[in-house]
Amino acid sequence: MLPKYKRVIIKLSGEALAGDKGFGIDPGTIKEISHKIKDASELGVEIAIVVGGGNIWRGRDGEGIDRATADYMGMLATVINALALQDALEHTGVDVRVQTAIDMKEIAEPYIRRKAMRHLEKGRIVIFASGTGNPYFSTDTTAALRAAEIDAEVILSAKKVDAVYDSDPKLNPNAKKIDKLTYIEVLNKGLKVMDSTAISLCMDNNIPVLVFGLDNPENIVKVLCGENIGTIVKE
Ligand code: GTP
């Protein structure tokens, strides 16, 4: 199979690592995802990953906690996930580098754009941790920002649901799957593809977002090879 893209960002939600438990890191799940990311990297695609932290901590769960503090706690959660993912990926035999937006140099490299790009050119997978390093910004926004910075052609947004629907498929059995959307449609209809900051950044920089389900980890390779699964958001 020939890949359609040269350099991509994979946005993995923290929940994707939790498996059916819904919390924490499930060893079997992270292993399975890592093997599929390895397969994808062996297609010759340069892969950077932005990982969320919702399986450990969500800013919005922090009732009574100052929003900025809750967000910093979430950024630390993404570092825990990034280290787990680095370890699982390394066990598959690929080279991985973690870079953090918040300096914690005993744990990982700091985020340096040109170094990240050099790692990718050398075939290493780069995991971006601790979001943008700023409260009030999501890891979806991080994916959009890093994609623009490192010239990624697309954001592959791996979710629990296999595509974007016109209503919540868990609540409405007649919910219709949407194949294509424009950025403006996502914003106007308030669809939960990404938050509005992230979608706006993608729109301004013309970065397509491909939403697909990780229920089958094979899907990572399929979308990289241009198979029409999930939903594409573009101009
Ligand atoms: P090249 O420049 O291509 O040789 O890349 P490299 O990443 O192999 O070289 P480098 O010597 O920069 O890094 C070697 C190892 O140290 C890698 O696993 C890096 O992730 C890690 N490393 C590099 N800089 C830092 C840092 O500031 N903090 C931590 N904790 N690890 C680092």
Side-chain angles (χ1 to χ4, degrees):
M1 284 203 282
L2 279 178
K4 186 175 171 188
Y5 306 103
K6 176 91 186 85
R7 178 176 291 172
V8 303
I9 293 260
I10 298 178
K11 165 70 207 311
L12 270 186
S13 68
E15 286 91 343
L17 306 181
D20 293 335
K21 290 193 298 186
F23 182 84
I25 298 167
D26 178 60
T29 305
I30 198 168
K31 195 171 163 186
E32 195 180 11
I33 293 173
S34 297
H35 275 282
K36 291 307 154 201
I37 294 175
K38 180 206 176 175
D39 292 347
S41 130
E42 282 178 348
L43 294 170
V45 185
E46 296 177 10
I47 297 174
I49 302 171
V50 171
V51 66
N55 54 325
I56 297 168
W57 177 259
R58 292 188 154 282
R60 64 172 178 268
D61 294 340
E63 206 187 319
I65 298 181
D66 175 69
R67 164 77 193 263
T69 303
D71 282 354
Y72 280 118
M73 291 165 72
M75 289 180 231
L76 293 177
T78 71
V79 179
I80 295 175
N81 284 336
L83 294 181
L85 194 57
Q86 168 173 249
D87 186 79
L89 280 165
E90 280 179 346
H91 276 96
T92 72
V94 288
D95 285 333
V96 190
R97 299 290 184 266
V98 175
Q99 293 198 340
T100 57
I102 294 176
D103 219 25
M104 43 183 97
K105 65 180 191 313
E106 288 77 6
I107 294 174
E109 290 178 28
Y111 171 63
I112 298 169
R113 173 179 166 263
R114 291 175 63 100
K115 201 164 161 73
M117 291 166 81
R118 195 77 192 105
H119 286 321
L120 292 171
E121 284 162 9
K122 289 181 179 175
R124 296 167 182 155
I125 292 172
V126 179
I127 305 174
F128 295 123
S130 61
T132 67
N134 301 98
Y136 296 93
F137 290 94
S138 65
T139 48
D140 280 344
T141 300
T142 310
L145 175 65
R146 295 290 182 249
E149 285 184 278
I150 67 166
D151 273 336
E153 294 158 83
V154 67
I155 296 173
L156 309 181
S157 178
K159 302 235 182 214
K160 279 208 151 171
V161 187
D162 64 344
V164 183
Y165 286 79
D166 62 354
S167 59
D168 188 341
K170 277 189 217 137
L171 304 176
N172 176 8
N174 298 320
K176 280 203 195 81
K177 179 173 173 253
I178 306 173
D179 294 328
K180 267 187 213 161
L181 283 166
T182 62
Y183 304 109
I184 287 290
E185 280 174 323
V186 173
L187 290 171
N188 286 346
K189 293 181 182 168
L191 296 168
K192 288 181 188 130
V193 178
M194 282 180 157
D195 57 82
S196 57
T197 313
I199 282 290
S200 303
L201 204 51
C202 289
M203 180 167 74
D204 292 349
N205 295 286
N206 211 1
I207 303 162
V209 183
L210 255 160
V211 181
F212 66 101
L214 249 197
D215 44 330
N216 177 5
E218 300 278 349
N219 286 349
I220 298 177
V221 172
K222 286 187 184 167
V223 288
L224 280 175
C225 292
E227 258 190 60
N228 282 333
I229 52 175
T231 304
I232 183 149
V233 183
K234 55 184 190 178
E235 213 156 48

